[in-house]
Amino acid sequence: MTMDSVPATPEPVRPAEELPDTTGREPSDPTSPSGSTARVALVAAAASLGIGWLGDQLIFWSGGFGLNGFLWVLTLVTTAFALGRWGGLPLTGEGRWLMAAAVFFAGGLMWRSSSLLQGLDLLAIAFCLGLAAVTARGGSLSRSGVISYLAGLLLSSVNHLIGPFALLFHDIRWQELPRSRWSERMAAILRGLIIALPLLFLFGSLFVAADAVFERMIQNLFTLNLPRLADHVFGLGFFGFLAAGFLRTALLQKPGELPQVDRPPTFALGAIETGLVLGLLNLLFLSFVLVQIRYLFGGAALVQQTVHLTYAEYARRGFFELVSVAALVLPVLLVLHWLIPPDRKEVQRLFRWLGGSLIALLYVIMASAVQRMLLYQQEYGLTELRLFTTAFMAWLAFVFAWFLFTVLRGRHERFAVGALASGLFVLAALHGLNPSDLIVRKNVALLQTTGRFDGAYAASLGPDAIPALVEALPALPPAEQEVVAAELQFWSERLQRKDWRSWNWGRARALNALQSLKES
């Protein structure tokens, strides 16, 4: 028998799970680094680059916030939802409602033009997106404590900082991406450009600075504004970094509850410590109310009867100190409650009684603070600081009532979400109130009784105040008319230079009012 006639040994049949996958599909496990998570990471990186370019074009070069801020936040949030749905990582956690709140306050940037209000909008957007990123896919906001909120924000900040690097160097499995000869060449070209361009920019800048002829040659050759190009690179990198950190934290972090900070096992408050701390605070607050009760509620009559006591001294010396007292009591009560073991019922009961009485005394003090400020406003008018501080006091009044209803009734896990929701509601209400317009109208109304009006301050409130100023201009004293007219001329020239990216409804109303003033 020849070698050719020997029958071939049949190849053993391999189990199905060992057969190579020739379908080209990704593994079905969405948590696999080489599965859909890797695809989401790759698309998220590309999307971050696009969102970074959008931020550079809309915000970095616009000279102000308005429509641009709303479009950027809306694009970021919409990308997160769409990418999660496409990649099988849907955003179903409670944090998605904070994303909607962030879009709302981004809309506030193109609603009102008050710099103080826009600053609060930016803080609200950062707070909402930071907390939403770690609870978008899972985790509870409605049953988490204040300390968990703070720990969650800290965790989100860390994830935002390291997220872009983790996205590029961990989540995307570059070596497992499909490759061809063309793609390998393009990858090599890209790597070469990444290495070469910074070196060319560095040495080229030095050569341009060293020789004027070489500088003109480079300018004629490339017609590039190198400083402006560097600004574009910074803008793209800044907004792209923010987008990558948010998308990575919201989509690719393992979902879970907000961090829990447990009470130190070796440090717990008993009945003696709780009674001593809260009892002494109650005595202090009670003594202040009793000794100062004539001053707390004396009002205008007390000011008129007291020698050397002016309205300014009566209101200023008391209001902001009492606001500070009210603001400090809340964290003190929260920390004390956190340090009491849940199983110590008698201590919890003592905390409820003493904490409740302390809040009752605090309400009296807060009422006094508001009364002082109202008296001061009747004499000297309204300002942003006075209005916003009063709004802060109104929020504190609700928060302490919510504290009584939740923490002191054994429902402490409900406190944080109510405090957060009420704070966002107060900020939204301030947008509807239009603080700058309200301040001007209130001060113009007081002009009839006090004879005082600060035209320079009123004009400094920004475009939101301009329609009211134009309307009130004929009723102002001649000296204040000149001041306001000069400021309105300045605003007219400044607002004309704004482009569509920073469009704002308040600025649009101001321009219409100024145009009508010119026509009249």
Side-chain angles (χ1 to χ4, degrees):
M1 182 179 295
T2 63
M3 295 290 293
D4 294 337
S5 62
V6 176
T9 304
E11 183 177 355
V13 179
R14 298 168 62 185
E17 61 270 18
E18 296 181 6
L19 292 175
D21 182 12
T22 59
T23 61
R25 295 177 297 179
E26 298 285 356
S28 60
D29 182 9
T31 63
S32 172
S34 60
S36 63
T37 301
R39 296 202 309 271
V40 170
L42 182 62
V43 178
S48 299
L49 193 62
I51 296 173
W53 175 84
L54 190 67
D56 173 67
Q57 295 297 314
L58 289 179
I59 300 176
F60 197 73
W61 296 96
S62 63
F65 285 103
L67 177 63
N68 48 12
F70 173 74
L71 291 176
W72 193 83
V73 174
L74 180 63
T75 302
L76 179 64
V77 171
T78 303
T79 301
F81 275 98
L83 195 54
R85 185 180 181 88
W86 170 79
L89 305 169
L91 305 182
T92 57
E94 294 182 357
R96 67 188 189 277
W97 302 113
L98 285 180
M99 292 188 186
V103 173
F104 173 83
F105 289 110
L109 294 173
M110 67 172 182
W111 184 7
R112 301 300 182 197
S113 62
S114 165
S115 57
L116 182 55
L117 206 54
Q118 286 196 337
L120 293 175
D121 284 333
L122 293 175
L123 287 177
I125 292 169
F127 186 92
C128 290
L129 290 181
L131 203 54
V134 293
T135 55
R137 291 180 56 208
S140 174
L141 287 170
S142 58
R143 292 184 177 274
S144 298
V146 174
I147 297 180
S148 294
Y149 276 36
L150 298 177
L153 285 174
L154 179 61
L155 175 63
S156 180
S157 300
V158 173
N159 287 336
H160 274 69
L161 288 175
I162 66 175
F165 303 104
L167 187 69
L168 291 176
F169 302 112
H170 177 267
D171 299 319
I172 302 176
R173 301 291 178 166
W174 298 99
Q175 68 277 10
E176 297 179 9
L177 295 177
R179 298 187 181 186
S180 63
R181 175 176 295 182
W182 180 85
S183 63
E184 290 179 357
R185 290 179 178 176
M186 289 302 299
I189 293 173
L190 182 61
R191 287 194 298 269
L193 289 175
I194 291 175
I195 297 173
L197 286 178
L199 296 175
L200 289 174
F201 185 81
L202 171 63
F203 291 110
S205 300
L206 293 174
F207 288 145
V208 165
D211 188 84
V213 176
F214 186 79
E215 179 184 10
R216 286 194 297 271
M217 184 185 71
I218 293 297
Q219 290 177 348
N220 294 333
L221 181 62
F222 294 102
T223 63
L224 288 178
N225 188 329
L226 294 180
R228 188 176 181 87
L229 177 61
D231 288 341
H232 275 298
V233 172
F234 175 81
L236 186 148
F238 177 77
F239 289 104
F241 191 89
L242 291 180
F246 176 78
L247 293 177
R248 204 265 177 181
T249 303
L251 295 171
L252 301 178
Q253 282 290 116
K254 184 178 180 181
E257 295 294 333
L258 289 176
Q260 300 296 320
V261 182
D262 297 328
R263 175 183 55 81
T266 58
F267 191 85
L269 294 182
I272 295 177
E273 299 95 326
T274 303
L276 188 62
V277 173
L278 291 179
L280 290 176
L281 286 176
N282 272 274
L283 287 176
L284 176 63
F285 279 50
L286 179 62
S287 64
F288 181 83
V289 171
L290 292 177
V291 172
Q292 299 291 324
I293 193 164
R294 178 169 175 262
Y295 293 93
L296 290 173
F297 302 103
L302 175 66
V303 177
Q304 294 170 359
Q305 297 171 7
T306 305
V307 180
H308 304 304
L309 183 60
T310 66
Y311 283 104
E313 292 171 341
Y314 178 76
R316 286 180 178 175
R317 184 168 180 176
F319 179 73
F320 291 105
E321 287 81 359
L322 296 182
V323 171
S324 301
V325 168
L328 290 173
V329 166
L330 181 61
V332 168
L333 289 176
L334 289 173
V335 172
L336 289 177
H337 182 268
W338 179 61
L339 292 174
I340 298 175
D343 56 346
R344 299 290 299 274
K345 302 301 181 184
E346 72 284 357
V347 184
Q348 294 282 353
R349 188 160 46 250
L350 179 64
F351 177 85
R352 285 196 295 270
W353 281 103
L354 292 179
S357 62
L358 185 65
I359 292 175
L361 292 170
L362 184 64
Y363 270 117
V364 178
I365 296 173
M366 291 171 64
S368 167
V370 173
Q371 185 265 351
R372 288 170 182 249
M373 180 50 63
L374 292 177
L375 176 63
Y376 190 69
Q377 291 174 7
Q378 290 174 6
E379 291 295 322
Y380 295 99
L382 198 58
T383 64
E384 281 189 314
L385 179 61
R386 298 164 196 167
L387 177 61
F388 279 82
T389 310
T390 304
F392 176 69
M393 287 286 283
W395 174 68
L396 281 180
F398 173 83
V399 167
F400 279 112
W402 185 245
F403 184 90
L404 291 171
F405 183 76
T406 56
V407 177
L408 296 190
R409 295 183 63 191
R411 302 174 181 175
H412 64 277
E413 71 280 357
R414 297 287 190 181
F415 173 75
V417 66
L420 172 61
S422 61
L424 296 178
F425 175 81
V426 169
L427 181 55
L430 285 172
H431 283 77
L433 197 62
N434 194 358
S436 299
D437 182 87
L438 176 65
I439 290 170
V440 171
R441 296 184 185 279
K442 173 70 174 176
N443 293 347
V444 170
L446 289 175
L447 175 63
Q448 307 302 321
T449 57
T450 65
R452 292 189 295 267
F453 184 82
D454 191 344
Y457 174 76
S460 70
L461 294 173
D464 283 340
I466 288 178
L469 279 173
V470 171
E471 182 180 334
L473 191 60
L476 298 180
E480 296 300 330
Q481 280 188 12
E482 294 181 5
V483 172
V484 171
E487 293 293 332
L488 292 180
Q489 178 63 32
F490 163 78
W491 278 111
S492 178
E493 297 172 358
R494 181 177 179 182
L495 292 175
Q496 292 290 347
R497 295 194 295 266
K498 295 291 183 180
D499 61 20
W500 69 269
R501 294 171 294 186
S502 58
W503 181 89
N504 177 279
W505 189 62
R507 298 190 192 106
R509 289 181 64 243
L511 278 174
N512 290 335
L514 291 171
Q515 185 64 32
S516 65
L517 181 63
K518 289 181 179 179
E519 294 174 354
S520 61

